[in-house]
Amino acid sequence: MLSGIVFALTAGLMWGLIFVGPLMVPEYPAALQSAGRYVAFGLIALPLAWADRTRLRRLSRADWTEALKLSAVGNLLYYFFLASAIQRTGAPVSTMIIGTLPVVIAVTANLLYGRQEGALSWWRLTPPLVLILLGLLCVNLAELSA
C-alpha cells in the first residue's frame, strides 16, 4: 500500500514536469517537443516491454492498432496542444484549463452515461465539484486577476 502511494505521488510530481518543458525550451516548436517526448517514452518503455515480452507476444494486431491510436492521441496530439498552449499563454493559464478536466469528465460522464452506468446524484456530486472549482480558483487567482 505504501509503495503504491509513493508511486502515485511520484507520478503526480513527474506529471507536473509536462508544464515546465515548453517553458525551458520555448524556441523548439511544440511538434518537436511532442515527438521528442514520445521517443523518450518509447526508450523508457523498451526495457519494460522486453521484460514482459511473453505477454506482449499474445497481443493481437487489433490490440497493437488500438494501442497505436491511443498513444498518438494521448502522447503526441495531447502534448502538442499542451506545449503550444503553454508557449502561447504561459503555464498558469494552461494548467488551469487542464485542471478543469476532472470537473468536465465527472459532469460529462454523469450527463452522457448516467443512464447506462448509473448516475451519481447531483446532490452527491456537487460538493466535490465545488471543492475542485474552488481549488482551481485559489491556485490560479493571481493569473485570473492579471
Side-chain angles (χ1 to χ4, degrees):
M1 173 86 156
L2 179 61
S3 64
I5 292 171
V6 170
F7 284 135
L9 288 172
T10 305
L13 290 171
M14 291 176 72
W15 176 79
L17 293 174
I18 67 171
F19 298 102
V20 177
L23 296 174
M24 290 176 65
V25 287
E27 64 276 2
Y28 290 106
L32 181 62
Q33 291 184 39
S34 182
R37 185 173 182 261
Y38 192 69
V39 168
F41 279 164
L43 292 174
I44 291 168
L46 276 176
L48 300 172
W50 180 257
D52 208 16
R53 63 190 176 277
T54 54
R55 285 184 20 183
L56 290 175
R57 279 192 210 117
R58 291 192 295 245
L59 295 176
S60 69
R61 183 180 202 90
D63 294 330
W64 286 106
T65 303
E66 193 64 26
L68 183 63
K69 286 191 253 180
L70 290 171
S71 66
V73 171
N75 287 312
L76 287 173
L77 198 58
Y78 168 79
Y79 195 74
F80 168 73
F81 285 128
L82 180 62
S84 297
I86 291 170
Q87 288 178 335
R88 287 168 175 74
T89 64
V93 172
S94 302
T95 306
M96 181 180 68
I97 292 170
I98 294 295
T100 63
L101 285 176
V103 177
V104 171
I105 290 169
V107 170
T108 303
N110 216 30
L111 289 173
L112 296 180
Y113 303 107
R115 291 189 182 135
Q116 299 162 347
E117 304 286 332
L120 281 174
S121 72
W122 288 105
W123 184 250
R124 288 187 62 201
L125 196 54
T126 300
L129 292 176
V130 168
L131 285 174
I132 291 169
L133 290 172
L134 285 173
L136 288 169
L137 184 64
C138 288
V139 167
N140 295 289
L141 195 55
E143 191 62 31
L144 290 174
S145 64

